[in-house]
Amino acid sequence: MALSAGAENGSGQPHTRGGACSCCREMEQPAPEPVSVDVDKGLALACFVFLCLFLIVMIIRCAKVIMDPYSAIPTSTWEEQHLDD
């Protein structure tokens, strides 16, 4: 919305084309720059998440082995073998 030369600002003083009042200076400020993304922080966070997921999977797997150790061993290794003499 453009202000004409005869328009008044909030203080009752007319706007002039040559000088800018405080309300016009605020409107002329550029938009803030977007926040930059830190690639190193993102990569470190992704590695940390994968490490935590791996740790959770290993804890679950170890708990299963502790609960039933013989289920992890194939039956051919502990099954009684017949020897031909």
Side-chain angles (χ1 to χ4, degrees):
M1 184 165 74
L3 295 173
S4 64
E8 291 185 355
N9 62 11
S11 64
Q13 298 173 351
H15 286 281
T16 59
R17 288 188 183 258
C21 65
S22 62
C23 65
C24 293
R25 272 185 254 131
E26 291 173 4
M27 293 184 344
E28 292 174 357
Q29 290 180 353
E33 294 183 20
V35 178
S36 62
V37 177
D38 191 3
V39 177
D40 292 335
K41 190 182 289 186
L43 183 62
L45 185 62
C47 289
F48 179 73
V49 168
F50 285 127
L51 184 65
C52 288
L53 290 174
F54 180 74
L55 181 64
I56 290 170
V57 169
M58 288 296 107
I59 288 172
I60 292 171
R61 185 176 169 109
C62 289
K64 286 181 180 179
V65 169
I66 289 172
M67 297 299 286
D68 190 12
Y70 295 109
S71 67
I73 303 171
T75 56
S76 62
T77 59
W78 58 271
E79 201 172 65
E80 212 176 287
Q81 295 180 358
H82 298 289
L83 299 174
D84 293 330
D85 287 336

